[in-house]
Amino acid sequence: SFDDVYCISGPLYLPVQEDGKWYVKYQVIGNPPNVAVPTHFFKVVLVKQGSDFSLGAFALPNKAIDNSTPLTDFDVPVETVEKAAGLVFFDKLERTSVTPLCSKTKCSFK
């Protein structure tokens, strides 16, 4: 149980490597086709318990994920999501005093 929970979600367009080169490829839908479909989604979660903070970030592919896949398979450093999304999360928070979210609670899909 936490006093406060903050969750930020958003799209990611991550590159794939083909023939030794990196490409960003994504589907475009609509009529006319003008809606970009993200390759991945991110979740950044900050929790507060008393005066302690825990932070976690996840980058999930935009496709079906088997329920048996542990959420921790998608655990990434917050800085990785920040760089890919072009955003900065919780910039006033002193990161050196924050514990990893999955060490405070069970990170799972259920």
Side-chain angles (χ1 to χ4, degrees), residues 40-86:
H40 292 74
F41 288 96
F42 71 82
K43 299 275 184 192
V44 176
V45 181
L46 175 70
V47 298
K48 180 177 181 273
Q49 190 171 24
S51 62
D52 296 329
F53 290 91
S54 296
L55 182 64
F58 307 92
L60 298 103
N62 187 9
K63 61 181 182 179
I65 299 170
D66 189 271
N67 286 340
S68 65
T69 306
L71 181 60
T72 52
D73 283 3
F74 307 102
D75 189 10
V76 296
V78 175
E79 295 80 11
T80 300
V81 174
E82 289 176 328
K83 184 174 181 179

Side-chain angles (χ1 to χ4, degrees), residues 84-105:
L87 300 170
V88 177
F89 303 105
F90 310 111
D91 61 328
K92 305 287 188 228
L93 187 66
E94 180 58 49
R95 299 262 175 106
T96 58
S97 63
V98 175
T99 59
L101 178 66
C102 293
S103 71
K104 276 284 196 189
T105 189

